[in-house]
């Protein structure tokens, strides 16, 4: 039901302008939603590829670790020599107003990491493999977080677009129709009065 607004030409012009803005807003939100959906689909394909690679990467890493354990005994003591990861940085890029994280992981030297004295190449190979898995894990975290944020952006855009399409625009259209009808009725009444006055004058 249209809101009770005085049927004046000024109000009609204001509502028509609001209606046009609402239609433009709906078109922009619909376009934004479509762009976000395309971006999401691309990232979903990317995440699928990374998951496949990460599974293989961890398989090779644990296989290399098992070989290192067999050749050196349990290598837990050497784990304390591995530095805490401080090369991870997170920034962001904007896709239609949605902030997507960008994860950067600085490359580390992995060849002959533990030296030659107490270890062998198999431990270096295990470290190299786990480093590769770590890089893929950071890449997957970036991609999956991006998918989540894009999905949230799509949901918000869809909700606002639906509100404009199903509530705001129909309300403005009904108000335009109602005020236009009232103004037309006033013009007919005014025309009838003028006609009656003219007939009196002509008599």
């Amino acid at each position: 039901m249209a809101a009770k607004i005085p049927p004046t030409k000024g109000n009609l012009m204001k509502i028509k302008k609001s209606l046009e803005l609402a239609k433009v807003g709906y078109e922009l939100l619909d376009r934004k939603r479509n762009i976000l959906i395309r971006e999401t689909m691309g990232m979903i394909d990317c995440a699928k590829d990374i998951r496949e690679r990460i599974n293989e990467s961890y398989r090779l890493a644990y296989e290399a670790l098992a070989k290192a354990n067999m050749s050196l005994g349990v290598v837990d003591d050497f784990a304390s020599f591995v530095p805490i990861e401080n090369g991870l940085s997170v920034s962001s890029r904007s896709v239609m107003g949605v902030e997507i994280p960008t994860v950067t992981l600085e490359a580390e030297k992995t060849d002959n990491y533990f030296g030659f004295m107490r270890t062998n190449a198999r431990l270096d190979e295990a470290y190299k493999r786990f480093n590769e898995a770590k890089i893929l894990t950071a890449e997957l975290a970036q991609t999956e977080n991006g998918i989540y944020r894009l999905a949230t952006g799509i949901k918000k855009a869809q909700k606002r677009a639906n509100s404009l399409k199903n509530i705001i625009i129909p309300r403005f259209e009904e108000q335009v129709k109602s005020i236009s009808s009232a103004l037309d009725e006033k013009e007919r009444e005014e025309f009838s009065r003028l006609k009656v006055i003219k007939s009196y004058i002509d008599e």
Side-chain angles (χ1 to χ4, degrees), residues 116-149:
F116 298 106
M117 295 296 292
R118 297 171 56 198
T119 66
N120 57 30
R122 288 183 177 176
L123 183 59
D124 288 329
E125 178 67 15
Y127 178 75
K128 180 180 177 182
R129 292 293 184 184
F130 274 103
N131 193 62
E132 290 170 356
K134 176 179 67 176
I135 292 169
L136 284 172
T137 301
E139 190 177 344
L140 182 62
Q142 168 186 289
T143 305
E144 290 190 336
N145 191 280
I147 291 169
Y148 173 78
R149 294 193 183 193

Side-chain angles (χ1 to χ4, degrees), residues 93-187:
R93 62 186 178 92
S94 179
V95 178
M96 298 298 291
V98 178
E99 294 298 316
I100 307 299
T102 302
V103 178
T104 305
L105 192 59
E106 293 179 8
E108 290 182 4
K109 180 183 175 183
T110 56
D111 294 332
N112 189 27
Y113 186 83
F114 296 97
F116 298 106
M117 295 296 292
R118 297 171 56 198
T119 66
N120 57 30
R122 288 183 177 176
L123 183 59
D124 288 329
E125 178 67 15
Y127 178 75
K128 180 180 177 182
R129 292 293 184 184
F130 274 103
N131 193 62
E132 290 170 356
K134 176 179 67 176
I135 292 169
L136 284 172
T137 301
E139 190 177 344
L140 182 62
Q142 168 186 289
T143 305
E144 290 190 336
N145 191 280
I147 291 169
Y148 173 78
R149 294 193 183 193
L150 285 169
T152 302
I154 291 168
K155 186 176 179 181
K156 287 180 179 179
Q158 185 67 56
K159 186 176 180 180
R160 291 170 182 168
N162 286 343
S163 177
L164 286 170
K165 182 181 179 182
N166 300 321
I167 300 173
I168 306 300
I169 291 175
R171 181 188 300 160
F172 284 147
E173 287 176 338
E174 182 61 30
Q175 288 173 346
V176 167
K177 182 179 177 182
S178 176
I179 293 174
S180 296
S181 178
L183 289 175
D184 289 343
E185 182 63 28
K186 281 184 179 181
E187 285 184 5

Side-chain angles (χ1 to χ4, degrees), residues 19 46 101:
L19 176 59
C46 183

Side-chain angles (χ1 to χ4, degrees), residues 184-200:
D184 289 343
E185 182 63 28
K186 281 184 179 181
E187 285 184 5
R188 283 193 293 270
E189 290 175 0
E190 186 65 24
F191 179 75
S192 296
R193 280 198 296 270
L194 290 173
K195 202 171 182 181
V196 169
I197 292 170
K198 187 174 184 300
S199 65
Y200 278 119

Side-chain angles (χ1 to χ4, degrees), residues 45-81:
D45 291 339
C46 183
K48 182 180 178 183
D49 176 64
I50 296 171
R51 284 191 201 102
E52 291 173 357
R53 287 190 290 140
I54 207 171
N55 287 337
E56 178 65 8
S57 182
Y58 272 109
R59 186 188 70 77
L60 292 173
Y62 279 107
E63 186 178 281
L65 180 61
K67 289 178 180 178
N69 280 327
M70 284 188 287
S71 65
L72 295 169
V74 179
V75 296
D76 288 1
D77 291 342
F78 298 109
S80 61
F81 296 112

